[in-house]
Amino acid sequence: MTEAWQARRLAQHKNRPNDNRSPWQVDRSRIIHAAAFRRLQAKTQIMSIGVNDFYRTRLTHSLEVAQIGSGLLRHLRRLHPDYRELVSTSLIETLCLAHDIGHPPFGHGGETALNFLMRNHGGFEGNAQTLRIVAKLEPYSNGYGMNLSRRTLLGFIKYPQYIDTLWHSQPNINPSKRFIEAHAWTPAKGVYRCDSDLFDWILAPLSPNDRDLLSSFQLFNEYKSKTQFKSVDCSIMELADDIAYAVHDLEDAVATGTLSRAQWEQFALPKLQDIQSDWVKANIATVTERLFSFDEATRKDLIGELVNLFIVNASLQVQHPEFESELLRYQVQLCDEYQALLDVFKVFVFEQLIREPKMQQIEFRGQNLLIDLFDAFASAPLRLLPKTTHDAWQQAPDDSAQYRILCDYLSGMSDEYAMRTHRRLFAGND
């Protein structure tokens, strides 16, 4: 079984004398040296790129997620010494470093726009695009992306079902409206049907029971369903991402004055006080003072304390007793008390920062800019697309494959490159 999970889709014989790296260390190296990873430095995390050097980009966010992920792994090894599947820090760091490389320019606005544009061609979703980049698109190998190990690829699959299976009812489109209703076109979360060969290969070592259970789903809203399970590696990466989002992005917003003490006291403190938690009772009086302190060291000490608090209160729990594979039987979770605390931070950042009108206006602009670019390139692909994408378009077997190639091209752009391209096409300068 270990051999199967270390396997790669393409057998490669590299000239690497005395290379003593594990398969997971090789995977991490390939991520770090990938162009798709470097592009994260020019993609929005929450705030716009280039306004202030302090703002986190998706690259710095991913580095922080990797640090938290490795911390979670160390803690879980100590807490569960008999569980043998927590094999490698390098594996977890690989997943954390690359978890966002499939996200398009302009954050969730860009994701929603591309999902709308691909609605009849398999949809678009950032996690599905991450898997596609690492396993097919990145030009490390011919058609196999970075040619990562099977277990690493399993760790990237947060939602193990096809998007077109999960997306069961499309919203109505009003042709008289110029702009799309973004809330209706947020994507179903899964993998692309056009990558079924890859998905089947990744799940091949699992029993039929485990494959079926892993891919099961339940109704999420009127338009889509959602999967319920993931591998233990993926769950560590996901919790590390949640902690970084809730704590470090909160630090960004406070340090730059984007979120005020008054907002904190009105919208976050009452929810914190409602949590049945000894930690909250003991610390609630000082958290606000430390978070909004003019002394940066005081604020950073609180941030570090919060990250550590979430790490040391995580544990492995059975996600479903019928899973046969140890990779699937468990996932990492916070106990109710600390999950509630994390949720307060996440909701506060989402409602007071991401949903803030100025942020939504920026997201709206990016969303419609990508729609303009997609329509322009689709109208004259052989004239406007760069040569490599132009060639792939010509070789595609059908319309859906052609649109997927265009979507790959646009989603790989940085925010700034997308804006420059838009100016070149529509404003007469570059």
Side-chain angles (χ1 to χ4, degrees):
M1 182 62 75
T2 299
E3 227 176 276
W5 289 112
Q6 292 180 1
R8 303 177 190 275
R9 293 183 77 206
L10 177 65
Q12 293 175 300
H13 303 286
K14 299 291 185 180
N15 184 22
R16 306 285 191 271
N18 303 314
D19 187 350
N20 58 6
R21 293 175 298 170
S22 70
W24 327 120
Q25 290 170 328
V26 170
D27 288 351
R28 182 180 59 183
S29 297
R30 292 181 182 181
I31 293 292
I32 290 172
H33 293 285
F37 177 66
R38 293 194 298 275
R39 288 191 197 103
L40 292 175
Q41 67 189 309
K43 288 193 177 185
T44 300
Q45 172 59 13
I46 289 183
M47 305 181 195
S48 295
I49 302 297
V51 177
N52 187 308
D53 287 342
F54 184 86
Y55 290 167
R56 285 173 165 88
T57 65
R58 284 201 182 270
L59 179 62
T60 56
H61 165 76
S62 298
L63 294 172
E64 288 168 338
V65 174
Q67 182 186 29
I68 295 170
S70 62
L72 280 167
L73 183 64
R74 287 193 302 272
H75 166 70
L76 294 171
R77 280 173 170 167
R78 294 192 189 100
L79 193 63
H80 304 281
D82 296 330
Y83 183 67
R84 302 300 182 186
E85 295 298 336
L86 301 174
V87 296
S88 172
T89 300
S90 296
L91 170 59
I92 297 301
E93 288 182 347
T94 298
L95 299 177
C96 292
L97 288 171
H99 77 283
D100 265 353
I101 64 174
H103 282 249
F106 312 114
H108 291 295
E111 185 179 45
T112 298
L114 290 176
N115 184 54
F116 168 76
L117 293 162
M118 294 293 291
R119 62 192 180 278
N120 297 320
H121 305 286
F124 178 86
E125 198 268 327
N127 297 287
Q129 194 67 19
T130 292
L131 181 66
R132 184 168 170 81
I133 289 170
V134 300
K136 287 193 171 183
L137 300 181
E138 186 68 20
Y140 179 85
S141 62
N142 186 16
Y144 295 89
M146 302 178 201
N147 196 30
L148 303 179
S149 62
R150 181 186 261 119
R151 178 163 172 177
T152 298
L153 294 177
L154 178 67
F156 281 117
I157 302 177
K158 291 175 69 173
Y159 308 101
Q161 181 55 270
Y162 295 114
I163 287 173
D164 56 10
T165 297
L166 298 169
W167 188 269
H168 51 75
S169 176
Q170 281 194 8
N172 293 324
I173 299 174
N174 187 341
S176 66
K177 286 189 175 182
R178 181 181 174 190
F179 304 111
I180 67 171
E181 295 183 21
H183 71 278
W185 291 100
T186 55
K189 296 179 180 294
V191 297
Y192 301 138
R193 179 73 63 175
C194 62
D195 293 331
S196 60
D197 57 334
L198 169 64
F199 189 47
D200 289 343
W201 182 85
I202 294 170
L203 301 190
L206 300 175
S207 68
N209 171 77
D210 278 5
R211 286 198 296 270
D212 290 344
L213 187 56
L214 181 65
S215 299
S216 62
F217 53 88
Q218 57 188 13
L219 191 66
F220 181 69
N221 63 23
E222 60 182 313
Y223 301 120
K224 51 191 177 250
S225 296
K226 191 174 183 180
T227 60
Q228 306 171 72
F229 306 117
K230 54 184 66 67
S231 71
V232 66
D233 302 324
C234 185
S235 75
I236 294 172
M237 175 265 284
E238 186 173 43
L239 179 56
D241 187 24
D242 283 351
I243 295 170
Y245 165 78
V247 179
H248 288 303
D249 291 347
L250 172 63
E251 179 191 9
D252 249 12
V254 170
T256 56
T258 310
L259 288 179
S260 69
R261 179 168 180 157
Q263 287 173 290
W264 170 263
E265 291 177 342
Q266 180 179 356
F267 297 105
L269 268 186
K271 294 180 180 178
L272 289 176
Q273 292 165 340
D274 288 340
I275 298 174
Q276 299 301 312
S277 165
D278 291 338
W279 185 91
V280 170
K281 290 176 183 176
N283 293 275
I284 192 70
T286 62
V287 166
T288 301
E289 297 301 325
R290 295 166 69 191
L291 183 61
F292 290 91
S293 172
F294 290 109
D295 178 22
E296 185 176 350
T298 299
R299 185 176 62 250
K300 284 195 169 294
D301 185 60
L302 172 65
I303 295 302
E305 183 178 322
L306 290 172
V307 170
N308 179 74
L309 183 72
F310 293 124
I311 288 175
V312 300
N313 284 285
S315 63
L316 292 177
Q317 303 292 329
V318 174
Q319 66 172 342
H320 198 292
E322 293 184 15
F323 276 119
E324 300 166 26
S325 171
E326 291 294 296
L327 287 177
L328 303 181
R329 186 185 300 271
Y330 299 93
Q331 65 173 286
V332 64
Q333 292 180 353
L334 291 171
C335 62
D336 292 345
E337 172 186 348
Y338 293 101
Q339 185 62 55
L341 180 61
L342 184 66
D343 288 343
V344 169
F345 293 140
K346 287 173 61 179
V347 169
F348 179 65
V349 170
F350 178 77
E351 291 183 347
Q352 301 303 313
L353 180 60
I354 295 177
R355 299 301 300 175
E356 194 273 331
K358 287 183 181 177
M359 290 292 181
Q360 286 300 299
Q361 289 168 14
I362 293 170
E363 190 172 286
F364 178 83
R365 180 186 66 178
Q367 169 187 305
N368 290 291
L369 185 151
L370 274 183
I371 292 174
D372 284 348
L373 290 180
F374 191 99
D375 289 344
F377 283 113
S379 71
L382 302 185
R383 177 186 178 194
L384 299 177
L385 287 172
K387 180 168 174 38
T388 53
T389 310
H390 168 290
D391 293 347
W393 177 283
Q394 283 191 307
Q395 296 165 15
D398 54 40
D399 288 350
S400 289
Q402 289 178 328
Y403 280 112
R404 181 62 62 193
I405 288 165
L406 175 54
C407 190
D408 290 340
Y409 172 60
L410 293 177
S411 68
M413 291 180 172
S414 67
D415 297 29
E416 179 59 32
Y417 185 80
M419 288 188 286
R420 286 205 312 268
T421 303
H422 191 271
R423 288 196 298 269
R424 188 162 56 245
L425 288 171
F426 296 100
N429 61 70
D430 58 3

